[in-house]
C-alpha cells in the first residue's frame, strides 16, 4: 500500500510539473516528452538539420542525473550490460521512428490527452495493441539473453556525458545549436527545467514508473500498480492545464500534433511493440541508463540515432501529417521488430515479466 501511494504521488508530481513547465515556456502539451526532447537534443548537437527542433533539453539531463543520484544514494547503482546490444540499438531506433510518427512518447501521449488533444486516444489504443502483440512473444519465450556485471567505471560514462552537455548548455557554447523559432525555441528556464528533470528522474527511479510495464502488468496480472502512476499524471496535468488556461478539447489545431488517426495508431503500436521487447518505455530506458545499465544506454543511443535519421530523411510527422517516407519506415519497423521477436524466442523457455522481475511460467 505504501508503494502504491508513492507511485501515485510520483504521478501527481510529474503531471503538475509538466503543466508548470508549459506555463513557463515549454511547448503546449509537451511539458516533458522523452522522444521529442531526445530529438531536440540531438538537433542541438547538430545531428539533424530540422531548424525548428534544435535545443539540448535540460529535462533529459536532469532525468538521467536524478536517477543516477537516487540509485547511487540507495546503493542500487550497478553497472551491467551485454544483453544483445546491437538488437537493443535497433529496437531503440525503431521505437523512436514510431514515436515520431505519432509525435510523442508514451508520457507525452498522456499529457496530450490531458491537454484536450483527442488524437492521443488513437495513440493510446495503438500503444496498448502494440504491447499486446509484444506480450505474445514474451509468453512464447522471447529473451534478449542475460546481462553481465561490468567495470563500475563504465556506468559513470553516461551521467558524465550528460554533465558535460549541461555545462555546454549553461555556458551557451557555440558548439550547440539553438532553434530561433518553432518548438525548439520554446523552453522553460534552464535551471527550472533541470530541477524538474532531477525530481522526475529521482521519483521514477524509486517507483519504476513505466507505462509499457503498467499496461503489460495490467494485461498479464491485472495489476494496476505502474499504470496508477500514469493515471495520476493525467489527472494532475489535466487540472494544471485547466488552471493555466491551456486546455483545448478537440482533434484539430492541436499543438505539435496531426489528425491522421490511422498513423497515430500505427506509430504508437510500433513504439509499444518495440518497447515491450526492450523491457521498458523510453523514460524507463533513460532511468535505467542513469542506474548504470549499459544495455539501456545502447537503447537510448538507438533512439537518438533514430531521431536524427527521422529528421534527416523526412520520416518524422509534422502538424501537416505523416510523410510517405515515415509510413514506409513504420511498416518496415513492424517487419523488423517481428523478426527480432521471432528469432529471439527460446523454445524451452517461457516466462512473464512483472515490474523488473521475471516470473517463470
Amino acid at each position: 500500500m505504501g508503494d502504491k501511494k508513492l507511485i501515485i504521488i510520483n504521478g501527481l508530481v510529474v503531471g503538475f510539473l509538466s503543466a508548470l513547465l508549459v506555463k513557463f515556456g515549454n511547448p503546449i502539451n509537451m511539458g516533458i516528452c522523452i522522444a521529442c526532447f531526445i530529438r531536440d537534443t540531438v538537433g542541438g548537437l547538430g545531428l539533424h538539420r530540422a531548424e525548428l527542433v534544435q535545443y539540448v533539453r535540460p529535462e533529459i539531463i536532469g532525468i538521467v542525473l536524478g536517477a543516477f543520484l537516487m540509485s547511487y544514494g540507495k546503493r542500487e547503482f550497478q553497472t551491467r550490460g551485454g544483453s544483445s546490444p546491437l538488437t537493443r540499438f535497433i529496437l531503440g531506433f525503431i521505437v523512436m521512428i514510431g514515436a515520431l510518427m505519432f509525435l510523442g512518447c508514451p508520457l507525452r501521449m498522456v499529457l496530450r490527452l490531458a491537454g484536450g488533444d483527442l488524437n492521443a486516444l488513437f495513440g493510446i489504443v495503438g500503444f496498448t495493441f502494440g504491447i499486446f502483440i509484444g506480450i505474445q512473444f514474451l509468453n512464447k519465450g522471447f529473451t534478449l539473453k542475460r546481462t553481465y556485471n561490468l567495470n563500475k567505471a563504465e556506468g559513470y560514462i553516461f551521467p558524465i556525458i550528460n554533465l558535460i552537455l549541461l555545462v555546454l548548455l549553461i555556458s551557451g557554447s557555440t558548439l550547440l545549436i539553438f532553434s530561433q523559432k518553432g518548438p525548439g525555441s520554446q523552453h522553460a528556464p534552464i535551471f527550472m527545467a533541470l530541477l524538474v528533470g532531477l525530481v522526475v528522474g529521482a521519483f521514477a527511479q524509486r517507483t519504476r514508473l513505466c507505462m509499457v510495464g503498467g499496461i503489460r502488468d495490467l494485461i498479464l496480472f491485472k495489476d494496476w500498480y505502474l499504470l496508477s502512476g500514469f493515471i495520476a499524471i493525467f489527472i494532475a496535468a489535466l487540472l494544471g492545464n485547466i488552471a493555466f488556461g491551456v486546455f483545448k478539447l478537440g482533434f484539430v489545431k492541436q499543438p505539435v500534433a496531426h489528425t491522421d488517426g490511422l498513423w497515430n495508431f500505427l506509430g504508437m503500436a510500433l513504439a509499444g511493440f518495440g518497447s515491450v521487447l526492450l523491457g521498458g518505455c523510453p523514460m524507463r530506458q533513460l532511468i535505467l541508463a542513469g542506474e548504470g545499465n549499459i544495455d539501456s544506454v545502447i537503447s537510448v543511443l538507438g533512439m537518438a540515432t533514430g531521431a536524427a535519421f527521422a529528421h534527416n530523411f523526412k520520416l518524422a510527422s509534422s502538424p501537416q501529417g505523416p510523410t510517405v517516407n515515415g509510413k514506409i519506415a513504420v511498416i518496415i519497423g513492424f517487419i523488423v521488430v517481428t523478426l527480432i521477436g521471432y528469432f529471439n524466442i527460446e523454445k524451452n523457455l517461457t516466462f512473464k515479466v512483472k515490474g523488473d522481475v521475471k516470473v517463470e511460467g
Side-chain angles (χ1 to χ4, degrees):
M1 184 62 69
D3 287 344
K4 196 158 190 177
K5 287 182 180 178
L6 182 60
I7 199 169
I8 290 173
I9 292 171
N10 181 186
L12 292 173
V13 169
V14 172
F16 174 74
L17 291 178
S18 296
L20 194 65
L21 286 175
V22 170
K23 172 69 174 177
F24 282 88
N26 277 19
I28 295 176
N29 294 353
M30 200 188 296
I32 301 173
C33 174
I34 305 304
C36 302
F37 287 3
I38 289 177
R39 172 205 62 198
D40 292 356
T41 298
V42 297
L45 294 171
L47 300 179
H48 69 66
R49 300 183 294 273
E51 295 181 354
L52 300 180
V53 284
Q54 295 176 307
Y55 177 64
V56 173
R57 292 280 180 179
E59 294 91 342
I60 294 293
I61 297 171
I63 289 171
V64 172
L65 296 181
F68 167 74
L69 292 171
M70 180 60 77
S71 63
Y72 194 87
K74 292 291 184 177
R75 298 183 179 180
E76 294 179 355
F77 183 86
Q78 182 181 6
T79 306
R80 55 203 185 280
S83 170
S84 304
L86 184 56
T87 298
R88 290 182 182 275
F89 181 91
I90 293 170
L91 285 172
F93 183 103
I94 292 173
V95 166
M96 181 60 76
I97 296 301
L100 292 181
M101 169 59 73
F102 169 74
L103 290 175
C105 67
L107 177 55
R108 185 177 186 236
M109 182 172 65
V110 173
L111 295 177
R112 280 175 58 174
L113 187 61
D117 183 356
L118 297 179
N119 297 292
L121 292 172
F122 292 100
I124 291 171
V125 175
F127 191 61
T128 303
F129 179 71
I131 292 171
F132 178 79
I133 296 174
I135 286 172
Q136 309 315 306
F137 285 89
L138 294 182
N139 286 337
K140 290 182 181 297
F142 172 84
T143 176
L144 291 178
K145 309 300 186 293
R146 61 165 295 183
T147 61
Y148 301 87
N149 290 330
L150 302 175
N151 187 324
K152 195 167 186 177
E154 188 158 348
Y156 298 137
I157 294 175
F158 192 61
I160 289 172
I161 289 172
N162 279 271
L163 273 176
I164 293 171
L165 288 178
L166 180 61
V167 171
L168 293 174
L169 178 63
I170 292 173
S171 66
S173 172
T174 55
L175 295 174
L176 304 181
I177 301 173
F178 298 85
S179 290
Q180 299 304 307
K181 56 183 179 179
S185 67
Q186 300 170 15
H187 49 82
I190 291 175
F191 287 105
M192 179 181 183
L194 176 66
L195 180 59
V196 168
L198 287 167
V199 171
V200 171
F203 258 119
Q205 194 281 328
R206 294 309 305 148
T207 61
R208 277 51 175 172
L209 187 68
C210 175
M211 191 165 185
V212 168
I215 295 175
R216 179 199 62 204
D217 287 356
L218 180 62
I219 293 173
L220 286 174
F221 306 103
K222 305 298 185 290
D223 186 339
W224 285 84
Y225 168 72
L226 290 174
L227 200 57
S228 66
F230 280 87
I231 294 173
I233 289 173
F234 170 77
I235 293 171
L238 173 64
L239 295 176
N241 288 331
I242 292 172
F244 296 140
V246 293
F247 179 82
K248 177 187 175 185
L249 185 65
F251 287 97
V252 299
K253 296 183 179 179
Q254 293 289 347
V256 196
H258 62 79
T259 58
D260 193 319
L262 174 62
W263 290 98
N264 279 327
F265 173 92
L266 291 175
M268 287 311 291
L270 180 60
F273 188 6
S275 293
V276 167
L277 301 190
L278 274 176
C281 65
M283 183 169 71
R284 183 65 182 144
Q285 297 302 323
L286 267 187
I287 297 298
L288 289 170
E291 292 179 4
N293 190 318
I294 305 304
D295 291 333
S296 291
V297 173
I298 296 297
S299 300
V300 172
L301 293 177
M303 288 184 240
T305 305
F309 198 93
H311 281 280
N312 285 330
F313 294 93
K314 302 186 186 308
L315 309 183
S317 298
S318 72
Q320 286 68 50
T323 66
V324 173
N325 288 358
K327 294 177 181 179
I328 293 171
V330 167
I331 292 170
I332 294 173
F334 273 110
I335 295 170
V336 173
V337 175
T338 300
L339 290 173
I340 288 173
Y342 177 78
F343 286 110
N344 284 278
I345 290 175
E346 289 192 4
K347 303 300 183 182
N348 60 345
L349 174 66
T350 59
F351 59 81
K352 297 179 180 179
V353 182
K354 184 176 181 182
D356 291 332
V357 181
K358 296 178 181 179
V359 182
E360 299 294 336

